Every structure is written in C-alpha cells, then in structure tokens.
C-alpha cells in the first residue's frame, strides 16, 4: 500500500468533496503536492476558497486517519487510489470519482464488466431471471457488478458465481459493516470469486445518503447497467439513466422472457 495518509487527510478537509478533489488532482497530480502548495496556488483551482485553502494548509493528520490505516491493515483491506493502475478505468471519466476505494481481495475484470441490479422486493421470477442473465453474461467472460442488497442484487452475484465467473459487490457501507447482515456468507463467497469494494470509511454504517453514491459507482464503473424489476423512482434506475447519458448502455428486462 502506497503512502495513503495524504489521500485520506485531503478527503477529511471540510469542503473538499469528490468534485473538488479531482480538480485538485488535475492541477497538482498528487495529494502530497496539494498539501505542499502555497495558498495562492491552491486558490487558483476553481472551488477553493480562502477558508478551504486555509484548512488544507492546516492539515495535521488527525488520529482517525491513523486508525483507519491500521484498520485496513488489520482486516487486510487494500486502499486503491485514483492513480493506481487497479482503479476501475471508467471511473476516471466521471466528474466526481472517489479519490480512493477500499478493496477486499483484488479488483480484476473491471474493464469488461456489466452491472445487474434491481428491486430489493423482487418476485421469484425476477430473481430467477437475474440469476439466469448474470450466469449467461459471466459465462461470456464479463464481470458482474452489483450492490449485495437483498433481492435482485443477491441473485445477480449468485448467478455470476454459479458460472464460476467474477463478481464485484459495491457496498453502501464500509467494508467492516456487512449490510444486509444476512448476506455475511455471500460477502465471503464474493470475496472468493471477485472483490468487495466501498468508497466509505471501514466502520461506516449503511446511511441512507450513501446508497445514491454507491449506485453511481455501480453504474459508471461498468460498460452498461441491466435493471431487473425496479420501480420508476428506483435509485438504480436513476443511476442507469445518468450512466446512459454518459454513453453507457442502459438496459432493462421489460417483462417475462419465457415463451407464453
């Protein structure tokens, strides 16, 4: 693991969200250079106010950053930065990529991946279709990405693994908080057949506002998103439409695919 402390420290600055973090990286190439920049240089970056520049210059690597690094080492979680070759390549092209992601095991196959997502309250037919489609896609060599939620997400991961294919779970919590809790065994099985990732601190719980952020990762790190049984206001459906607007494939299962 590279010197990750400057990456975490910069993210901890109030006012430095993913958009601004990316602009700072574009300007200075690394967090270390951001932290060593002069105030006048920092304020040349759009969105950096006098207050934010002052906070960046005043960073002292608080204890919670040291604790986070120790937790990652303890649990053998890896922290992959935006500049790491392993970082999902398609995420480089969105306006608000996470500057780093936590990874359980190793990320592979992200350049040839498809998201399969949908309703937590899926019908038996919907779940069986998600298993079937994910199995077929995985058998073609595609990595199946989903959110490890109940319903369609769980079925998608299971379908990929049934074909001995790769699957990646993107969590709406930290890697140290398995949600939903009944998917603990699935969490371990996915780790053996792919990877589990998150952009959230290791001990962060499944907060409601984390899931739209999680959904954008799922839909934008993949070549396309296949939605199975989602309501018109589904967060997954919205994320798929936004990904479609960026040139990604936006697909859906319209109804029964079985012969009448």
């Amino acid at each position: 693991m590279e010197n990750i402390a400057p990456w975490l420290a910069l993210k901890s600055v109030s006012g430095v969200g993913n958009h601004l973090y990316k602009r700072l990286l574009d300007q200075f190439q690394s967090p270390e250079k951001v932290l060593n920049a002069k105030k006048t240089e920092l304020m040349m970056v759009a969105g950096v106010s006098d207050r934010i520049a002052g906070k960046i210059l005043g960073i002292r690597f608080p204890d919670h950053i040291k604790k986070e690094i120790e937790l990652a080492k303890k649990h053998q979680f890896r922290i992959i930065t935006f500049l790491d070759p392993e970082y999902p390549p398609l995420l480089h092209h969105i306006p608000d990529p996470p500057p780093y992601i936590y990874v359980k095991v190793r990320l592979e196959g992200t350049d040839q991946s498809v998201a399969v997502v949908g309703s937590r309250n899926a019908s038996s037919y919907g779940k069986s279709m998600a298993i079937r489609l994910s199995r077929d896609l995985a058998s073609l060599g595609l990595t199946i990405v989903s959110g490890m939620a109940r319903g369609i997400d769980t079925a998608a991961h299971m379908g990929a693994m049934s074909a001995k294919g790769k699957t990646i779970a993107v969590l709406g919590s930290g890697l140290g908080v398995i949600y939903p809790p009944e998917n603990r065994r699935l969490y371990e099985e996915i780790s053996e057949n792919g990877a589990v990732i998150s952009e959230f601190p290791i001990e962060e719980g499944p907060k409601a506002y984390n899931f739209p952020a999680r959904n954008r990762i799922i839909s934008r790190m993949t070549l396309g998103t296949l939605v199975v049984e989602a309501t018109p206001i589904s967060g997954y459906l919205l994320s798929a439409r936004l990904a479609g607007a960026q040139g990604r494939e936006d697909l859906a299962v319209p109804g029964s695919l079985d012969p009448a």
Side-chain angles (χ1 to χ4, degrees), residues 1-5 8 65-79 102-104 175 202:
M1 186 184 298
E2 65 179 283
N3 182 15
I4 199 68
L8 273 64
I65 290 177
K66 298 174 185 176
K67 178 185 175 183
E68 188 75 359
I69 294 171
E70 289 170 0
L71 274 174
K73 291 179 179 177
K74 176 182 176 181
H75 294 289
Q76 298 184 317
F77 298 148
R78 303 166 63 240
I79 304 177
Y102 298 83
V103 181
K104 181 173 173 60
L175 293 186
I202 293 169

Side-chain angles (χ1 to χ4, degrees), residues 24 27-28 33-58:
L24 287 165
Q27 179 68 25
F28 295 101
K33 291 181 179 179
V34 174
L35 302 184
N36 290 319
K38 297 177 181 178
K39 190 172 187 179
T40 53
E41 294 173 328
L42 290 171
M43 292 184 66
M44 292 176 66
V45 177
V48 177
S49 64
D50 181 81
R51 180 184 65 83
I52 291 175
K55 287 181 176 292
I56 291 173
L57 294 173

Side-chain angles (χ1 to χ4, degrees), residues 115-135:
V116 180
V117 296
S119 174
R120 289 174 172 79
N121 300 310
S123 67
S124 296
Y125 174 79
K127 288 185 280 190
S128 67
M129 185 55 60
I131 290 174
R132 173 178 154 188
L133 291 170
S134 297
R135 181 179 62 239

Side-chain angles (χ1 to χ4, degrees), residues 24-222:
L24 287 165
L25 279 182
D26 289 343
Q27 179 68 25
F28 295 101
Q29 287 77 58
S30 74
E32 290 93 338
K33 291 181 179 179
V34 174
L35 302 184
N36 290 319
K38 297 177 181 178
K39 190 172 187 179
T40 53
E41 294 173 328
L42 290 171
M43 292 184 66
M44 292 176 66
V45 177
V48 177
S49 64
D50 181 81
R51 180 184 65 83
I52 291 175
K55 287 181 176 292
I56 291 173
L57 294 173
I59 287 176
R60 292 293 181 269
F61 297 92
D63 288 342
H64 73 83
I65 290 177
K66 298 174 185 176
K67 178 185 175 183
E68 188 75 359
I69 294 171
E70 289 170 0
L71 274 174
K73 291 179 179 177
K74 176 182 176 181
H75 294 289
Q76 298 184 317
F77 298 148
R78 303 166 63 240
I79 304 177
I80 304 301
T81 74
F82 184 82
L83 301 180
D84 193 293
E86 196 176 337
Y87 190 92
L90 291 177
L91 287 184
H92 285 113
H93 306 294
I94 68 173
D96 59 341
Y100 51 85
I101 52 177
Y102 298 83
V103 181
K104 181 173 173 60
V105 195
R106 187 170 186 84
L107 274 176
E108 295 178 336
T110 57
D111 57 335
Q112 294 294 320
S113 61
V114 175
V116 180
V117 296
S119 174
R120 289 174 172 79
N121 300 310
S123 67
S124 296
Y125 174 79
K127 288 185 280 190
S128 67
M129 185 55 60
I131 290 174
R132 173 178 154 188
L133 291 170
S134 297
R135 181 179 62 239
D136 291 348
L137 290 167
S139 68
L140 295 173
L142 292 169
T143 299
I144 303 302
V145 180
S146 198
M148 211 181 81
R150 300 179 181 97
I152 296 300
D153 289 22
T154 292
H157 293 303
M158 291 174 62
M161 291 187 291
S162 72
K164 302 189 183 304
K166 293 188 180 300
T167 187
I168 297 172
V170 185
L171 304 188
S173 60
L175 293 186
V177 182
I178 297 174
Y179 182 82
E182 66 265 26
N183 272 355
R184 177 171 294 275
R185 182 175 177 181
L186 179 65
Y187 174 95
E188 297 300 336
E189 290 176 348
I190 292 170
S191 300
E192 295 171 4
N193 295 273
V196 183
I197 71 174
S198 175
E199 68 174 305
F200 304 110
I202 293 169
E203 295 185 331
E204 182 157 317
K207 300 173 182 176
Y209 54 78
N210 286 355
F211 291 97
R214 184 275 308 267
N215 295 347
R216 97 187 186 291
I217 297 297
I218 293 173
S219 64
R220 298 184 193 184
M221 70 177 280
T222 53

